[in-house]
Amino acid sequence: MRFQDFLNFDKMIAGSIIKFLYWLGFVIIILFGLGAIAGSVSTMSYNGALGLLQLVVAIIGIALGVLFWRVICEMYLIFLSMNERLGQIKDKLPGN
């Protein structure tokens, strides 16, 4: 990538940033999930049923959180790839 492409917004860098943000969000979701699991284990010491319910909700929450975060990041990547494809189509049109 040339510096001129960067200045003229001919090449998008957001794809790399979104991939980094995906992994950052993934780690944060996992850490919060592990915190919820630790809290459920703590709850189990005085109320086993409630602690077990919290454990199940935490595990489901981790799975749904990661899935939802992945879908959001993929949607952003799709929008960016559409922009790149439209640029390629424009370059192939006569008169350009």
Side-chain angles (χ1 to χ4, degrees):
M1 178 166 90
R2 298 177 311 156
F3 188 67
Q4 187 69 25
D5 293 338
F6 177 74
L7 291 177
N8 291 332
F9 291 91
D10 292 333
K11 178 73 176 159
M12 296 290 190
I13 61 170
S16 301
I17 294 171
I18 290 172
K19 290 175 186 174
F20 170 75
L21 290 176
Y22 167 74
W23 286 107
L24 180 65
F26 181 84
V27 168
I28 290 171
I29 291 168
I30 296 297
L31 289 176
F32 273 98
L34 291 175
I37 289 172
S40 72
V41 170
S42 170
T43 303
M44 281 183 198
S45 66
Y46 63 88
N47 189 341
L50 182 60
L52 185 61
L53 178 65
Q54 284 181 329
L55 178 67
V56 170
V57 169
I59 292 171
I60 292 171
I62 290 171
L64 291 178
V66 168
L67 180 67
F68 184 68
W69 184 240
R70 175 71 185 226
V71 168
I72 289 173
C73 291
E74 282 183 6
M75 285 189 339
Y76 281 120
L77 286 174
I78 287 170
F79 291 139
L80 289 173
S81 68
M82 285 172 32
N83 181 39
E84 289 178 11
R85 299 280 182 187
L86 287 173
Q88 291 172 354
I89 291 170
K90 184 186 120 196
D91 291 341
K92 290 182 180 181
L93 290 175
N96 286 327

